Amino acid sequence: MQTNLSDTGLAISRQEAGLAGGATRSAQLPEAFAGKPARLAALHRMVIVGGGAGGLELAARLGDDMGRSEKAEIVLVDATLTHLWKPLLHEVAAGTLGPSENEFDFLQQAREHHFRFELGKLAAVDRLRKQIWLAPLVDEAGLEIAASRPIDYATLVICIGAVDNDFGTPGVRTHAHSLNSKADAERFHRRLLALCARAELGSGDPVRVAIVGGGATGCELAAELASAADIIASYGVQLARLRRPLRITLIEMEPRLLGALPADVAARVHTDLLARDIGIRLGRRVAEVSAGGIVLDDDEHIDCELTVWAAGVRGQDILQSLDGLAINRQGQLLVLATLQTTEDENVFAFGDCASCRPRLFAPPVPPTAQAAGQQAKLLAVSLRRRVAGKTLLLFNYEGRGSIVSLGHDDAVGKVATRYGHELTVDGLAARFTYWILYRRHLALLLGTIRTFILTVGQWLSTRIQPRVKLH
Ligand SMILES: Cc1cc2nc3c(=O)[nH]c(=O)nc-3n(C[C@H](O)[C@H](O)[C@H](O)COP(=O)(O)OP(=O)(O)OC[C@H]3O[C@@H](n4cnc5c(N)ncnc54)[C@H](O)[C@@H]3O)c2cc1C
C-alpha cells in the first residue's frame, strides 16, 4: 500500500518537493515545532489518524489546550493535505459548491492550533512497540517521496472514516461513482458536465442518472442535482429546451426513503423529490451495475449514463489487520463507551470507523458528522484527564435531530429542543439550521471572526460567479 500524492488533493511535484531523481525525505515539521524536538520528546504524544469531521476538530481542541501549553505533543496524520467537511460532498458533486473555498490546509491548521501534521496513509499498527506505520508516499509519476515510516505514540486515536459498502454487488467498483472524498465528488462533477455537454452538442436527450441508496446522502444528492441541472442547462440551447435536463432515478431497497429518520420527514422528502420529477423505486435491490446502467433483482434494467452508489458505509479494509484490534460485521473497530478499543486501552477510535454502544442494549452511535463532533468534544476533555492520570469520561450520544438538505433553499428535518421535545423544521428555517451546523465546524477551526469574513466572502462570490460550477 502507498499514498499517491496525486490523490491527496494537492499533488506535489518532485521539483516542488525539492527532490531530484528518486531521492526520499521524510515529511517536514511545521515551523511551530522546529527547534523544539528535545522538549517535545519528553511529552506524552497523542497521534490522531484521520483529519475529517471528527479528527480535525479533536486535533484543534487538543492542540489549543495541551499542544499550546506543551502538556502533550499532538500529531495529526492524514492521507491528504487538505480538509473538506464531508457533508458538503453532494454539493461539490452537483457543482453548487466549489471545493476550494471550503478546503483547509492541514499544515495551516497545524500551525494555528499547535499540533504537528504528518502526511501519510495508515498502513499498520504495532501495539507492542506503540508505533503506527505510514505507507510510502509517492508522487504522480510513481516515484517515492518518502519511504514507509513509523510514528511512536503514547495514545493513538483512529478516526479514518468509512468507505462505501457495496455488499459485494458486481460492477459497483468499476462502474459506479462514490461520494466518499473530494476527489470522488470532483470526478462525478466532471463526468456530469461532460455528459451534459454531449447531450447539448448531440442528441439533446436528458442525461440519465441512477442513485442507489435512499438514505440522507442519496436523497440530498438527488435534490441537489435536480436544482443544479436546470442552471447548467440554462447555459446551453438544446438542454434548455427540456423540461428536465437530467432524468434522475433513486433506488432504495427498503419500503421507504430515509429509514433512519422519522416517517413524516421521509414522506415530506418523498413528495418533494417527486415534485422535482425524480423517479423513486422503493423495495428494489440492485443486482448488478454495468457501463450502461443497473440491473435490479427481478432482472429489470434501468439504462443510465451515470450511477452513484450511496447505499451505506463500512469500515476500511485496513481495520481488519490492525494488530488484532476487534471489528464488527461492518468492519468498524469495536470501542467501549470511553471510546477505547476493546483490545487496547491506549488505542481509541471514533467517528464512522468505530462502532460504539454507549450502554448495554443502546443502539450503536450513528455514522454522522454530528456524532463524530460530539465524540471529538468528549475525547478532548477525556484525553486531557488521561494525561493527568484521571479517569476517562463515558460517551453518551445526544441525538440533536437530523436535517435533510433539499437543494439550495430547502431542507426538512427534526430538531431536538432543550426540553427533550422534537420540532419539525421545514423550508428556509431548516436550511438555515443545516447551514449553522457547518458554520459551527468552521468556527472551531477558524475562529468566529474569520468564519464571519469567510461567510461574507462566499456570499459575495455568489454575486460574481455562476450558481453552479461550470468547469
Ligand atoms: C454526501 C454526504 C453527506 C452527508 N451529510 C451529512 C449530514 O448532513 N449530517 C451529518 O451529520 N453527517 C453527514 N454525512 C456523514 C458525515 O460526513 C460522516 O459521518 C463524517 O464525516 C464522519 O466523520 P469522521 O471524522 O469519522 O470521518 P471523515 O470525515 O470521513 O474523515 C476521515 C479522514 O480520514 C482520512 N483518512 C482516511 N483513510 C486514511 C488512512 N488510511 N490514513 C490516514 N488518513 C486517512 C481522510 O482523508 C479524512 O480526512 C454525510 C456524508 C456524505 C458522504
Side-chain angles (χ1 to χ4, degrees), residues 49-55 77-80 86-87 89-90 106 120-122 159-162 179 217 220 316 318 350-353 367-370 372 403 434:
V49 186
V77 176
D78 199 282
T80 67
K86 210 169 168 185
L89 288 181
H90 64 285
F106 282 121
K121 196 166 194 170
L122 179 69
C159 38
I160 58 174
L179 267 198
T217 304
E220 289 185 340
Q316 293 194 38
I318 179 73
F350 76 101
D352 287 5
C353 74
T368 62
Q370 187 189 146
I403 301 211
Y434 186 85

mmCIF file of all heavy atoms in Angstrom, residues 49-55 77-80 86-87 89-90 106 120-122 159-162 179 217 220 316 318 350-353 367-370 372 403 434, ligand 1:
data_model
loop_
_atom_site.group_PDB
_atom_site.id
_atom_site.type_symbol
_atom_site.label_atom_id
_atom_site.label_comp_id
_atom_site.label_asym_id
_atom_site.label_seq_id
_atom_site.Cartn_x
_atom_site.Cartn_y
_atom_site.Cartn_z
ATOM 1 N N VAL A 49 -5.130 9.729 13.829
ATOM 2 C CA VAL A 49 -5.042 9.350 12.415
ATOM 3 C C VAL A 49 -6.394 9.618 11.756
ATOM 4 O O VAL A 49 -7.389 8.977 12.073
ATOM 5 C CB VAL A 49 -4.652 7.869 12.246
ATOM 6 C CG1 VAL A 49 -4.424 7.569 10.766
ATOM 7 C CG2 VAL A 49 -3.413 7.548 13.041
ATOM 8 N N GLY A 50 -6.419 10.583 10.831
ATOM 9 C CA GLY A 50 -7.645 10.966 10.132
ATOM 10 C C GLY A 50 -8.085 12.350 10.562
ATOM 11 O O GLY A 50 -8.458 12.572 11.711
ATOM 12 N N GLY A 51 -8.009 13.296 9.621
ATOM 13 C CA GLY A 51 -8.360 14.691 9.950
ATOM 14 C C GLY A 51 -9.687 15.081 9.319
ATOM 15 O O GLY A 51 -9.798 16.124 8.690
ATOM 16 N N GLY A 52 -10.711 14.245 9.489
ATOM 17 C CA GLY A 52 -12.022 14.530 8.912
ATOM 18 C C GLY A 52 -12.890 15.324 9.869
ATOM 19 O O GLY A 52 -12.395 16.085 10.716
ATOM 20 N N ALA A 53 -14.215 15.116 9.739
ATOM 21 C CA ALA A 53 -15.178 15.870 10.544
ATOM 22 C C ALA A 53 -14.867 15.746 12.036
ATOM 23 O O ALA A 53 -14.972 16.719 12.787
ATOM 24 C CB ALA A 53 -16.584 15.354 10.248
ATOM 25 N N GLY A 54 -14.459 14.546 12.478
ATOM 26 C CA GLY A 54 -14.149 14.353 13.895
ATOM 27 C C GLY A 54 -12.689 14.626 14.212
ATOM 28 O O GLY A 54 -12.358 15.329 15.169
ATOM 29 N N GLY A 55 -11.777 14.057 13.404
ATOM 30 C CA GLY A 55 -10.347 14.091 13.727
ATOM 31 C C GLY A 55 -9.753 15.488 13.750
ATOM 32 O O GLY A 55 -8.974 15.826 14.652
ATOM 33 N N VAL A 77 -2.311 12.851 11.579
ATOM 34 C CA VAL A 77 -1.879 12.196 10.341
ATOM 35 C C VAL A 77 -3.075 12.144 9.402
ATOM 36 O O VAL A 77 -4.174 11.779 9.829
ATOM 37 C CB VAL A 77 -1.431 10.745 10.629
ATOM 38 C CG1 VAL A 77 -1.072 10.021 9.336
ATOM 39 C CG2 VAL A 77 -0.284 10.711 11.616
ATOM 40 N N ASP A 78 -2.902 12.519 8.153
ATOM 41 C CA ASP A 78 -3.982 12.323 7.183
ATOM 42 C C ASP A 78 -3.390 11.917 5.841
ATOM 43 O O ASP A 78 -2.271 12.300 5.503
ATOM 44 C CB ASP A 78 -4.850 13.574 7.026
ATOM 45 C CG ASP A 78 -6.214 13.237 6.412
ATOM 46 O OD1 ASP A 78 -6.299 13.047 5.182
ATOM 47 O OD2 ASP A 78 -7.191 13.148 7.179
ATOM 48 N N ALA A 79 -4.190 11.178 5.094
ATOM 49 C CA ALA A 79 -3.742 10.707 3.780
ATOM 50 C C ALA A 79 -3.776 11.815 2.739
ATOM 51 O O ALA A 79 -3.259 11.646 1.634
ATOM 52 C CB ALA A 79 -4.624 9.542 3.337
ATOM 53 N N THR A 80 -4.410 12.943 3.052
ATOM 54 C CA THR A 80 -4.460 14.061 2.112
ATOM 55 C C THR A 80 -3.900 15.318 2.784
ATOM 56 O O THR A 80 -3.724 15.348 4.005
ATOM 57 C CB THR A 80 -5.902 14.359 1.656
ATOM 58 O OG1 THR A 80 -6.622 14.839 2.779
ATOM 59 C CG2 THR A 80 -6.591 13.125 1.117
ATOM 60 N N LYS A 86 -17.049 16.549 5.036
ATOM 61 C CA LYS A 86 -17.669 15.557 4.140
ATOM 62 C C LYS A 86 -19.151 15.813 3.815
ATOM 63 O O LYS A 86 -19.575 15.542 2.679
ATOM 64 C CB LYS A 86 -17.499 14.177 4.764
ATOM 65 C CG LYS A 86 -17.408 13.073 3.786
ATOM 66 C CD LYS A 86 -16.983 11.832 4.529
ATOM 67 C CE LYS A 86 -17.118 10.596 3.725
ATOM 68 N NZ LYS A 86 -16.815 9.414 4.521
ATOM 69 N N PRO A 87 -19.966 16.331 4.740
ATOM 70 C CA PRO A 87 -21.371 16.556 4.369
ATOM 71 C C PRO A 87 -21.560 17.560 3.225
ATOM 72 O O PRO A 87 -22.677 17.734 2.749
ATOM 73 C CB PRO A 87 -21.999 17.068 5.672
ATOM 74 C CG PRO A 87 -21.163 16.473 6.746
ATOM 75 C CD PRO A 87 -19.770 16.466 6.189
ATOM 76 N N LEU A 89 -20.083 17.131 0.337
ATOM 77 C CA LEU A 89 -19.657 16.480 -0.903
ATOM 78 C C LEU A 89 -20.743 16.393 -1.971
ATOM 79 O O LEU A 89 -20.458 16.458 -3.164
ATOM 80 C CB LEU A 89 -19.107 15.075 -0.611
ATOM 81 C CG LEU A 89 -17.745 15.041 0.073
ATOM 82 C CD1 LEU A 89 -17.289 13.606 0.291
ATOM 83 C CD2 LEU A 89 -16.705 15.793 -0.746
ATOM 84 N N HIS A 90 -22.012 16.254 -1.562
ATOM 85 C CA HIS A 90 -23.057 16.169 -2.596
ATOM 86 C C HIS A 90 -23.185 17.513 -3.320
ATOM 87 O O HIS A 90 -23.520 17.564 -4.497
ATOM 88 C CB HIS A 90 -24.391 15.711 -2.003
ATOM 89 C CG HIS A 90 -24.984 16.651 -1.009
ATOM 90 N ND1 HIS A 90 -24.510 16.782 0.271
ATOM 91 C CD2 HIS A 90 -25.997 17.518 -1.123
ATOM 92 C CE1 HIS A 90 -25.219 17.687 0.897
ATOM 93 N NE2 HIS A 90 -26.123 18.157 0.088
ATOM 94 N N PHE A 106 -4.109 21.324 6.054
ATOM 95 C CA PHE A 106 -3.776 20.774 7.370
ATOM 96 C C PHE A 106 -2.560 21.472 7.972
ATOM 97 O O PHE A 106 -2.489 21.681 9.178
ATOM 98 C CB PHE A 106 -3.502 19.268 7.257
ATOM 99 C CG PHE A 106 -4.757 18.434 7.151
ATOM 100 C CD1 PHE A 106 -4.969 17.616 6.062
ATOM 101 C CD2 PHE A 106 -5.723 18.463 8.149
ATOM 102 C CE1 PHE A 106 -6.118 16.838 5.958
ATOM 103 C CE2 PHE A 106 -6.876 17.693 8.061
ATOM 104 C CZ PHE A 106 -7.071 16.884 6.958
ATOM 105 N N GLY A 120 0.329 11.136 5.286
ATOM 106 C CA GLY A 120 0.587 9.707 5.079
ATOM 107 C C GLY A 120 -0.652 8.885 5.346
ATOM 108 O O GLY A 120 -1.597 9.343 5.985
ATOM 109 N N LYS A 121 -0.622 7.691 4.841
ATOM 110 C CA LYS A 121 -1.761 6.783 4.980
ATOM 111 C C LYS A 121 -1.413 5.696 5.987
ATOM 112 O O LYS A 121 -0.342 5.080 5.873
ATOM 113 C CB LYS A 121 -2.035 6.160 3.596
ATOM 114 C CG LYS A 121 -3.358 5.521 3.482
ATOM 115 C CD LYS A 121 -3.651 5.253 2.019
ATOM 116 C CE LYS A 121 -5.105 4.916 1.838
ATOM 117 N NZ LYS A 121 -5.487 4.873 0.457
ATOM 118 N N LEU A 122 -2.309 5.479 6.926
ATOM 119 C CA LEU A 122 -2.076 4.439 7.930
ATOM 120 C C LEU A 122 -1.950 3.089 7.236
ATOM 121 O O LEU A 122 -2.826 2.686 6.473
ATOM 122 C CB LEU A 122 -3.253 4.411 8.913
ATOM 123 C CG LEU A 122 -3.160 3.359 10.011
ATOM 124 C CD1 LEU A 122 -2.038 3.701 10.989
ATOM 125 C CD2 LEU A 122 -4.486 3.231 10.749
ATOM 126 N N CYS A 159 -9.464 7.695 13.496
ATOM 127 C CA CYS A 159 -10.755 8.257 13.031
ATOM 128 C C CYS A 159 -10.640 8.473 11.520
ATOM 129 O O CYS A 159 -10.677 9.595 11.037
ATOM 130 C CB CYS A 159 -11.100 9.546 13.774
ATOM 131 S SG CYS A 159 -9.714 10.635 14.120
ATOM 132 N N ILE A 160 -10.507 7.363 10.802
ATOM 133 C CA ILE A 160 -10.234 7.440 9.359
ATOM 134 C C ILE A 160 -11.497 7.316 8.511
ATOM 135 O O ILE A 160 -11.416 7.093 7.299
ATOM 136 C CB ILE A 160 -9.195 6.379 8.921
ATOM 137 C CG1 ILE A 160 -9.684 4.967 9.273
ATOM 138 C CG2 ILE A 160 -7.834 6.663 9.525
ATOM 139 C CD1 ILE A 160 -8.780 3.864 8.734
ATOM 140 N N GLY A 161 -12.670 7.484 9.124
ATOM 141 C CA GLY A 161 -13.905 7.489 8.346
ATOM 142 C C GLY A 161 -14.253 6.103 7.809
ATOM 143 O O GLY A 161 -13.739 5.095 8.292
ATOM 144 N N ALA A 162 -15.103 6.091 6.801
ATOM 145 C CA ALA A 162 -15.590 4.822 6.266
ATOM 146 C C ALA A 162 -15.545 4.853 4.747
ATOM 147 O O ALA A 162 -15.251 5.881 4.150
ATOM 148 C CB ALA A 162 -17.026 4.603 6.742
ATOM 149 N N LEU A 179 -19.260 8.810 -3.363
ATOM 150 C CA LEU A 179 -19.192 10.198 -2.859
ATOM 151 C C LEU A 179 -18.508 10.186 -1.510
ATOM 152 O O LEU A 179 -19.073 10.612 -0.515
ATOM 153 C CB LEU A 179 -20.604 10.756 -2.677
ATOM 154 C CG LEU A 179 -21.222 11.528 -3.817
ATOM 155 C CD1 LEU A 179 -22.381 12.357 -3.330
ATOM 156 C CD2 LEU A 179 -20.212 12.416 -4.514
ATOM 157 N N THR A 217 -27.745 10.718 2.136
ATOM 158 C CA THR A 217 -26.815 11.094 1.069
ATOM 159 C C THR A 217 -27.492 11.004 -0.293
ATOM 160 O O THR A 217 -27.403 11.928 -1.114
ATOM 161 C CB THR A 217 -25.567 10.176 1.093
ATOM 162 O OG1 THR A 217 -24.988 10.270 2.392
ATOM 163 C CG2 THR A 217 -24.548 10.582 0.061
ATOM 164 N N GLU A 220 -30.268 13.740 -0.644
ATOM 165 C CA GLU A 220 -29.683 15.087 -0.769
ATOM 166 C C GLU A 220 -29.045 15.270 -2.141
ATOM 167 O O GLU A 220 -29.181 16.315 -2.776
ATOM 168 C CB GLU A 220 -28.642 15.317 0.332
ATOM 169 C CG GLU A 220 -29.280 15.474 1.712
ATOM 170 C CD GLU A 220 -28.276 15.827 2.802
ATOM 171 O OE1 GLU A 220 -27.078 15.590 2.613
ATOM 172 O OE2 GLU A 220 -28.724 16.345 3.853
ATOM 173 N N GLN A 316 -12.954 0.682 6.624
ATOM 174 C CA GLN A 316 -11.930 0.453 5.596
ATOM 175 C C GLN A 316 -11.264 -0.908 5.810
ATOM 176 O O GLN A 316 -11.159 -1.391 6.941
ATOM 177 C CB GLN A 316 -10.847 1.526 5.696
ATOM 178 C CG GLN A 316 -11.319 2.908 5.348
ATOM 179 C CD GLN A 316 -10.120 3.831 5.149
ATOM 180 O OE1 GLN A 316 -9.097 3.435 4.613
ATOM 181 N NE2 GLN A 316 -10.251 5.064 5.573
ATOM 182 N N ILE A 318 -8.215 -1.735 5.886
ATOM 183 C CA ILE A 318 -7.036 -1.697 6.759
ATOM 184 C C ILE A 318 -7.389 -2.039 8.217
ATOM 185 O O ILE A 318 -6.586 -2.605 8.954
ATOM 186 C CB ILE A 318 -6.341 -0.301 6.676
ATOM 187 C CG1 ILE A 318 -5.109 -0.196 7.586
ATOM 188 C CG2 ILE A 318 -7.262 0.833 7.061
ATOM 189 C CD1 ILE A 318 -3.945 -0.945 7.096
ATOM 190 N N PHE A 350 -13.048 6.575 16.925
ATOM 191 C CA PHE A 350 -14.381 7.202 16.924
ATOM 192 C C PHE A 350 -14.754 7.626 15.511
ATOM 193 O O PHE A 350 -13.981 7.484 14.575
ATOM 194 C CB PHE A 350 -14.441 8.373 17.916
ATOM 195 C CG PHE A 350 -13.752 9.636 17.461
ATOM 196 C CD1 PHE A 350 -14.494 10.702 16.949
ATOM 197 C CD2 PHE A 350 -12.382 9.773 17.526
ATOM 198 C CE1 PHE A 350 -13.881 11.876 16.527
ATOM 199 C CE2 PHE A 350 -11.747 10.947 17.103
ATOM 200 C CZ PHE A 350 -12.503 11.996 16.597
ATOM 201 N N GLY A 351 -15.975 8.160 15.388
ATOM 202 C CA GLY A 351 -16.461 8.557 14.061
ATOM 203 C C GLY A 351 -16.934 7.330 13.282
ATOM 204 O O GLY A 351 -17.226 6.280 13.855
ATOM 205 N N ASP A 352 -16.970 7.475 11.964
ATOM 206 C CA ASP A 352 -17.524 6.425 11.103
ATOM 207 C C ASP A 352 -16.749 5.114 11.150
ATOM 208 O O ASP A 352 -17.280 4.069 10.777
ATOM 209 C CB ASP A 352 -17.539 6.898 9.638
ATOM 210 C CG ASP A 352 -18.613 7.938 9.374
ATOM 211 O OD1 ASP A 352 -19.278 8.372 10.330
ATOM 212 O OD2 ASP A 352 -18.780 8.312 8.196
ATOM 213 N N CYS A 353 -15.480 5.159 11.574
ATOM 214 C CA CYS A 353 -14.684 3.924 11.549
ATOM 215 C C CYS A 353 -14.883 3.084 12.802
ATOM 216 O O CYS A 353 -14.312 2.001 12.917
ATOM 217 C CB CYS A 353 -13.193 4.235 11.357
ATOM 218 S SG CYS A 353 -12.403 4.923 12.813
ATOM 219 N N PRO A 367 -23.361 6.783 12.104
ATOM 220 C CA PRO A 367 -22.184 7.322 11.401
ATOM 221 C C PRO A 367 -22.487 8.693 10.808
ATOM 222 O O PRO A 367 -22.743 8.836 9.621
ATOM 223 C CB PRO A 367 -21.925 6.282 10.297
ATOM 224 C CG PRO A 367 -23.264 5.677 10.027
ATOM 225 C CD PRO A 367 -24.081 5.785 11.278
ATOM 226 N N THR A 368 -22.489 9.720 11.649
ATOM 227 C CA THR A 368 -22.789 11.076 11.177
ATOM 228 C C THR A 368 -21.722 12.049 11.672
ATOM 229 O O THR A 368 -21.016 11.778 12.655
ATOM 230 C CB THR A 368 -24.153 11.566 11.713
ATOM 231 O OG1 THR A 368 -24.076 11.614 13.141
ATOM 232 C CG2 THR A 368 -25.297 10.670 11.284
ATOM 233 N N ALA A 369 -21.669 13.196 11.012
ATOM 234 C CA ALA A 369 -20.730 14.244 11.428
ATOM 235 C C ALA A 369 -21.136 14.761 12.817
ATOM 236 O O ALA A 369 -20.283 15.144 13.627
ATOM 237 C CB ALA A 369 -20.742 15.377 10.411
ATOM 238 N N GLN A 370 -22.439 14.767 13.060
ATOM 239 C CA GLN A 370 -22.929 15.231 14.356
ATOM 240 C C GLN A 370 -22.353 14.359 15.491
ATOM 241 O O GLN A 370 -21.850 14.870 16.495
ATOM 242 C CB GLN A 370 -24.462 15.122 14.346
ATOM 243 C CG GLN A 370 -25.129 15.719 15.540
ATOM 244 C CD GLN A 370 -26.630 15.404 15.589
ATOM 245 O OE1 GLN A 370 -27.165 15.239 16.660
ATOM 246 N NE2 GLN A 370 -27.298 15.333 14.475
ATOM 247 N N ALA A 372 -19.689 12.334 15.279
ATOM 248 C CA ALA A 372 -18.219 12.443 15.314
ATOM 249 C C ALA A 372 -17.804 13.712 16.057
ATOM 250 O O ALA A 372 -16.842 13.714 16.835
ATOM 251 C CB ALA A 372 -17.662 12.443 13.896
ATOM 252 N N ILE A 403 -31.368 16.804 9.732
ATOM 253 C CA ILE A 403 -31.961 17.648 8.691
ATOM 254 C C ILE A 403 -31.491 17.142 7.332
ATOM 255 O O ILE A 403 -30.312 16.837 7.158
ATOM 256 C CB ILE A 403 -31.536 19.109 8.892
ATOM 257 C CG1 ILE A 403 -31.992 19.533 10.270
ATOM 258 C CG2 ILE A 403 -32.059 20.007 7.782
ATOM 259 C CD1 ILE A 403 -32.339 20.931 10.453
ATOM 260 N N TYR A 434 -29.353 23.723 9.003
ATOM 261 C CA TYR A 434 -28.371 22.863 8.332
ATOM 262 C C TYR A 434 -27.070 23.651 8.102
ATOM 263 O O TYR A 434 -25.969 23.172 8.344
ATOM 264 C CB TYR A 434 -28.975 22.420 6.996
ATOM 265 C CG TYR A 434 -28.191 21.409 6.214
ATOM 266 C CD1 TYR A 434 -28.311 20.050 6.460
ATOM 267 C CD2 TYR A 434 -27.324 21.816 5.190
ATOM 268 C CE1 TYR A 434 -27.599 19.112 5.729
ATOM 269 C CE2 TYR A 434 -26.606 20.880 4.456
ATOM 270 C CZ TYR A 434 -26.748 19.537 4.732
ATOM 271 O OH TYR A 434 -26.039 18.619 4.001
HETATM 272 C C1 LIG B 1 -22.584 13.344 0.777
HETATM 273 C C2 LIG B 1 -22.618 13.183 2.277
HETATM 274 C C3 LIG B 1 -23.489 13.975 3.029
HETATM 275 C C4 LIG B 1 -23.514 13.851 4.421
HETATM 276 N N1 LIG B 1 -24.356 14.655 5.131
HETATM 277 C C5 LIG B 1 -24.326 14.604 6.476
HETATM 278 C C6 LIG B 1 -25.137 15.500 7.247
HETATM 279 O O1 LIG B 1 -25.904 16.286 6.696
HETATM 280 N N2 LIG B 1 -25.055 15.455 8.605
HETATM 281 C C7 LIG B 1 -24.211 14.582 9.246
HETATM 282 O O2 LIG B 1 -24.166 14.594 10.484
HETATM 283 N N3 LIG B 1 -23.441 13.707 8.546
HETATM 284 C C8 LIG B 1 -23.479 13.694 7.189
HETATM 285 N N4 LIG B 1 -22.693 12.831 6.461
HETATM 286 C C9 LIG B 1 -21.865 11.841 7.189
HETATM 287 C C10 LIG B 1 -20.584 12.509 7.695
HETATM 288 O O3 LIG B 1 -19.934 13.153 6.632
HETATM 289 C C11 LIG B 1 -19.670 11.482 8.328
HETATM 290 O O4 LIG B 1 -20.390 10.768 9.298
HETATM 291 C C12 LIG B 1 -18.483 12.173 8.992
HETATM 292 O O5 LIG B 1 -17.716 12.870 8.033
HETATM 293 C C13 LIG B 1 -17.603 11.141 9.711
HETATM 294 O O6 LIG B 1 -16.505 11.810 10.263
HETATM 295 P P1 LIG B 1 -15.149 11.034 10.508
HETATM 296 O O7 LIG B 1 -14.238 12.005 11.187
HETATM 297 O O8 LIG B 1 -15.406 9.725 11.160
HETATM 298 O O9 LIG B 1 -14.587 10.664 9.062
HETATM 299 P P2 LIG B 1 -14.359 11.576 7.777
HETATM 300 O O10 LIG B 1 -14.978 12.891 7.900
HETATM 301 O O11 LIG B 1 -14.723 10.712 6.625
HETATM 302 O O12 LIG B 1 -12.765 11.785 7.769
HETATM 303 C C14 LIG B 1 -11.859 10.724 7.589
HETATM 304 C C15 LIG B 1 -10.472 11.330 7.383
HETATM 305 O O13 LIG B 1 -9.519 10.263 7.431
HETATM 306 C C16 LIG B 1 -8.597 10.387 6.363
HETATM 307 N N5 LIG B 1 -8.151 9.027 6.060
HETATM 308 C C17 LIG B 1 -8.884 8.032 5.505
HETATM 309 N N6 LIG B 1 -8.151 6.912 5.464
HETATM 310 C C18 LIG B 1 -6.941 7.200 5.995
HETATM 311 C C19 LIG B 1 -5.770 6.426 6.242
HETATM 312 N N7 LIG B 1 -5.682 5.119 5.941
HETATM 313 N N8 LIG B 1 -4.700 7.046 6.808
HETATM 314 C C20 LIG B 1 -4.763 8.375 7.129
HETATM 315 N N9 LIG B 1 -5.861 9.136 6.930
HETATM 316 C C21 LIG B 1 -6.937 8.555 6.375
HETATM 317 C C22 LIG B 1 -9.402 11.035 5.246
HETATM 318 O O14 LIG B 1 -8.546 11.708 4.335
HETATM 319 C C23 LIG B 1 -10.295 12.000 6.028
HETATM 320 O O15 LIG B 1 -9.674 13.248 6.205
HETATM 321 C C24 LIG B 1 -22.655 12.912 5.076
HETATM 322 C C25 LIG B 1 -21.779 12.116 4.302
HETATM 323 C C26 LIG B 1 -21.763 12.246 2.925
HETATM 324 C C27 LIG B 1 -20.813 11.388 2.114
#
